[in-house]
């Protein structure tokens, strides 16, 4: 088995190997969605099996992700069995399964040499801990993978993992074209959460539903969607099942075809909803917690079709939950994703691609503990179009409305702040410039303008990354041919 890894994926594998060499047995790998976790896991498994007859399991937390993961493994030509209820166990050395099934069969199974836990931030409760401890005790290597290394209740994962390694950032993946750019809008209609108490690290769900499940808020979501995301393939995150159903009804009543899914939705119904979304019978998929961690529309339908818009109607105190919702819309596609935040998440938690300091011992790092006071200076909202952006400009980057120039505290605490703001703005402008260079020729021209050493090769790398393919010799030849004519 050979895996064609991107350089940053190699880097990530090397970081994991270095930790294993230094004696750590349980490693939490942090990587953005669409980083290519399956390919990386496949590579690690394949290399391990070249040297020994190691067994490996890749466990997911929900059955509806099993089919999707299994398909990605087949896509990467990894032969495997399925560890799931209703399936006889195969003897293949590689298994893809659900944590629940392993837990229920624990007495009849032999722990694998390598255990991968997907969406490892969901590791809580006795089931996860029992499976992980059982494997650890028998000497397995544990590799957890997640985009947000913090449990949804804000608690840490340090008791399960020895060490954490991080892949390149979300921003880097966006710049490389492996994730899509995004535009985020908040709303003028702030939900009133004054009567909502906290419960288990997040808002009390019942009270939150009361505050959010209101026709005015849903109506506002529909009018914003019409204005900023009309016709886009959309996922809506609601507080609970009733809220999600009401929201779907409201979209349907407004003539926008919507479908609701929840935990009681059968595999077949979910598939139907996803197919409907893929072929345009539905434009809007409403849910509360089903279509979140790990969910990938294109894997569900087996075609390269992505979500284009994400509507947040679910306020959360958990930055992990916020990111998991937004990430669903950031799969690679030609145009920026539109995020409509009616839940105050961006103002509270910052922009999705903000550099975050994660740690295995929980909410540490200055930025995190001061998040509440700082949120309003990390991002700024245009009073006219509600676009949310990094502070710095004197005009809204979307509509041009004059705004009060605020300085981001993130930048302010450092020396030479104005210069830094300029740098931040320049980098932003550079990214926009790169994003609008659509053709290979445009990209080469941009590379030339930027004084790149080899603009043709750079352009090929960016163009191929956007399509998710590895550059070939023919690609470089084509670029050199174009470059020669310029
Ligand atoms: Zn604006």
């Amino acid at each position: 088995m050979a895996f064609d890894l991107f350089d940053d994926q190699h880097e990530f594998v090397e970081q994991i190997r270095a930790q294993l060499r230094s004696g750590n047995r349980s490693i939490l790998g942090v990587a953005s969605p669409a980083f290519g976790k399956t390919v990386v896991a496949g590579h690690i498994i394949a290399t391990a099996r070249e040297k020994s007859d190691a067994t490996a399991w890749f466990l997911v937390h929900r059955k509806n992700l099993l089919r999707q993961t299994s398909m990605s493994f087949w896509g990467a030509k990894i032969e495997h069995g399925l560890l799931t209820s209703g399936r006889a166990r195969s003897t293949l050395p590689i298994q893809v399964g659900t944590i629940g099934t392993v837990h229920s069969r624990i007495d009849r199974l032999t722990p694998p040499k390598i255990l991968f836990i997907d969406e490892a931030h969901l590791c809580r409760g006795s089931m996860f801990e029992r499976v992980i401890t059982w494997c650890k005790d028998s000497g397995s290597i544990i590799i957890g993978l997640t985009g947000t290394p913090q449990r949804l209740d804000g608690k840490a994962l340090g008791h399960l993992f020895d060490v954490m390694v991080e892949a390149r950032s979300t921003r880097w993946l966006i710049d490389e074209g492996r994730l899509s750019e995004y535009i985020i809008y908040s709303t003028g209609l702030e939900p009133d959460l004054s009567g909502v108490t906290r419960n288990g690290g997040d808002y009390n769900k019942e009270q939150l539903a009361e505050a959010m499940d209101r026709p005015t808020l849903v109506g506002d979501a529909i009018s914003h969607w019409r204005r900023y995301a009309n016709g886009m393939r959309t996922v809506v995150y609601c507080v609970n099942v009733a809220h999600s159903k009401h929201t779907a009804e409201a979209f349907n009543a407004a003539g926008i075809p919507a479908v609701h899914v929840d935990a009681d939705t059968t595999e077949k119904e979910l598939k139907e909803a996803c197919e409907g979304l893929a072929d345009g019978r539905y434009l809007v998929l409403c849910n509360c917690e089903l279509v979140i961690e790990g969910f990938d529309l294109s894997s569900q339908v087996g075609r390269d079709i992505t979500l284009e818009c994400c509507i947040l109607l679910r306020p959360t105190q958990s930055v992990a939950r916020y990111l998991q919702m937004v990430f669903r819309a950031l799969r690679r596609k030609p145009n920026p994703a539109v995020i409509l935040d009616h839940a105050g998440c961006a103002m509270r938690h910052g922009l999705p691609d903000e550099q975050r300091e994660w740690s295995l011992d929980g909410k540490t790092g200055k930025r995190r503990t001061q998040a509440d006071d700082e949120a309003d200076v990390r991002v700024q909202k245009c009073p006219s179009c509600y676009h949310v952006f990094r502070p710095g400009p004197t005009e809204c980057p979307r509509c041009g409305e004059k705004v009060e120039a605020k300085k981001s505290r993130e930048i302010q605490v450092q020396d030479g702040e104005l210069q830094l703001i300029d740098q931040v703005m320049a980098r932003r402008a550079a990214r926009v410039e790169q994003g609008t260079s659509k053709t290979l020729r445009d990209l080469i021209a941009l590379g030339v303008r930027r004084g790149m050493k080899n603009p043709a090769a750079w352009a090929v790398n960016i163009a191929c990354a956007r399509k998710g393919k590895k550059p070939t010799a023919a690609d470089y030849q084509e670029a050199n041919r174009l470059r020669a004519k310029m």
Side-chain angles (χ1 to χ4, degrees):
M1 277 185 279
F3 288 89
D4 233 357
L5 297 190
F6 286 111
D7 290 348
D8 59 303
Q9 294 172 332
H10 268 299
E11 232 172 67
F12 187 64
V13 171
E14 274 317 310
Q15 286 192 67
I16 291 174
R17 288 200 178 127
Q19 292 300 339
L20 290 172
R21 279 196 298 272
S22 61
N24 289 308
R25 304 296 291 170
S26 57
I27 297 161
L28 183 61
V30 181
S32 268
F35 162 77
K37 284 183 295 188
T38 321
V39 178
V40 164
H43 178 83
I44 293 173
I45 295 170
T47 4
R49 287 188 54 74
E50 276 167 17
K51 294 173 198 151
S52 69
D53 56 353
T55 52
W57 294 353
F58 190 98
L59 301 186
V60 299
H61 65 286
R62 236 199 293 261
K63 209 174 167 181
N64 68 33
L65 290 177
L66 190 73
R67 185 168 55 90
Q68 181 186 309
T69 308
S70 174
M71 277 166 68
S72 320
F73 267 64
W74 285 120
K77 300 197 172 51
I78 307 168
E79 192 182 24
H80 60 275
L82 292 180
L83 273 172
T84 181
S85 54
R87 280 271 194 157
R89 206 182 141 232
S90 77
T91 52
L92 288 169
I94 302 170
Q95 299 281 332
V96 173
T98 59
I99 197 110
T101 300
V102 169
H103 183 256
S104 67
R105 295 182 188 171
I106 210 159
D107 299 329
R108 285 173 279 152
L109 295 169
T110 312
K113 182 90 193 310
I114 311 172
L115 174 72
F116 286 94
I117 302 274
D118 200 16
E119 309 301 346
H121 62 282
L122 298 171
C123 282
R124 70 167 186 173
S126 54
M127 202 158 75
F128 276 96
E129 308 212 348
R130 188 162 173 229
V131 170
I132 292 177
T133 314
W134 172 68
C135 286
K136 266 186 174 173
D137 289 349
S138 76
S140 314
I141 290 166
I142 319 286
I143 302 176
L145 297 167
T146 179
T148 49
Q150 184 188 72
R151 279 170 33 171
L152 296 179
D153 57 8
K155 295 228 172 73
L157 290 161
H159 64 302
L160 292 174
F161 297 96
D162 300 334
V163 67
M164 187 170 83
V165 302
E166 290 185 70
R168 298 284 185 100
S169 67
T170 304
R171 183 69 254 172
W172 188 87
L173 287 165
I174 293 175
D175 287 346
E176 289 291 304
R178 300 240 299 276
L179 287 176
S180 81
E181 264 298 350
Y182 67 89
I183 303 165
I184 185 161
Y185 296 96
S186 192
T187 170
L189 213 61
E190 297 281 348
D192 177 13
L193 304 182
S194 53
V196 182
T197 58
R198 293 183 193 201
N199 189 349
D202 207 340
Y203 293 112
N204 174 303
K205 247 178 124 174
E206 236 162 83
Q207 295 169 356
L208 190 61
E210 185 113 341
M212 294 303 293
D213 194 357
R214 289 167 191 263
T216 46
L217 289 177
V218 177
D220 188 44
I222 293 173
S223 62
H224 270 246
W225 185 86
R226 283 220 165 97
R227 189 152 143 214
Y228 296 115
N230 206 2
M232 284 185 166
R233 209 171 283 120
T234 299
V235 60
V236 188
Y237 293 100
C238 301
V239 178
N240 61 14
V241 171
H243 184 209
S244 171
K245 282 183 176 165
H246 295 157
T247 306
E249 280 162 18
F251 269 94
N252 280 317
I256 303 159
V259 61
H260 154 88
V261 293
D262 60 44
D264 291 332
T265 302
T266 63
E267 185 92 345
K268 205 176 141 211
E269 287 164 340
L270 179 65
K271 193 160 188 290
E272 196 276 330
C274 291
E275 291 284 353
L277 201 59
D279 59 29
R281 271 179 293 130
Y282 303 118
L283 281 169
V284 177
L285 177 69
C286 298
N287 80 116
C288 46
E289 284 178 338
L290 189 71
V291 182
I292 179 163
E293 275 91 6
F295 178 85
D296 176 36
L297 182 63
S298 54
S299 307
Q300 289 283 339
V301 299
R303 276 177 285 162
D304 189 14
I305 282 180
T306 57
L307 293 165
E308 297 163 308
C309 169
C310 166
I311 300 180
L312 306 178
L313 285 173
R314 200 254 191 250
T316 179
Q317 307 239 345
S318 156
V319 65
R321 192 189 294 274
Y322 159 57
L323 294 176
Q324 289 291 343
M325 294 191 283
V326 168
F327 278 167
R328 292 317 116 206
L330 295 189
R331 293 272 157 179
R332 176 173 38 87
K333 57 183 147 299
N335 297 315
V338 172
I339 295 155
L340 304 177
D341 175 12
H342 296 260
C345 289
M347 298 307 283
R348 177 174 199 96
H349 301 294
L351 295 176
D353 59 339
E354 185 172 310
Q355 193 74 42
R356 289 182 166 78
E357 287 166 30
W358 302 111
S359 90
L360 277 178
D361 44 6
K363 292 176 171 174
T364 57
K366 278 181 224 142
R367 201 180 307 150
R368 307 285 304 289
T369 46
Q370 292 170 12
D372 285 1
D373 331 89
E374 291 196 4
D376 63 335
V377 287
R378 286 187 297 167
V379 293
Q380 189 168 358
K381 181 160 78 175
C382 166
S384 171
C385 75
Y386 308 119
H387 175 49
V388 180
F389 50 94
R390 285 193 177 83
T394 53
E395 284 173 3
C396 166
R398 300 303 307 172
C399 73
E401 177 85 10
K402 285 242 174 313
V403 294
E404 188 197 338
K406 285 187 188 165
K407 285 173 193 167
S408 162
R409 184 160 323 160
E410 218 184 336
I411 295 165
Q412 213 173 344
V413 292
Q414 302 180 43
D415 293 324
E417 58 187 61
L418 281 174
Q419 196 190 346
L420 267 165
I421 290 171
D422 284 349
Q423 276 173 11
V424 168
M425 293 317 291
R427 274 207 295 276
R428 182 93 201 160
R431 281 196 293 269
V432 169
E433 195 183 20
Q434 185 171 314
T436 52
S437 302
K438 295 289 176 218
T439 66
L440 187 60
R441 184 190 299 273
D442 292 347
L443 280 168
I444 299 171
L446 179 62
V448 172
R449 281 204 300 284
R450 289 190 185 169
M452 299 259 174
K453 243 193 211 154
N454 188 345
W458 174 79
V460 168
N461 293 341
I462 298 290
C464 287
R466 281 179 184 164
K467 294 181 206 140
K469 69 187 253 292
K470 294 282 282 186
T472 63
D475 291 326
Y476 290 113
Q477 275 164 17
E478 165 70 5
N480 285 328
R481 201 179 54 77
L482 284 170
R483 168 87 180 93
K485 281 203 234 155
M486 285 162 77

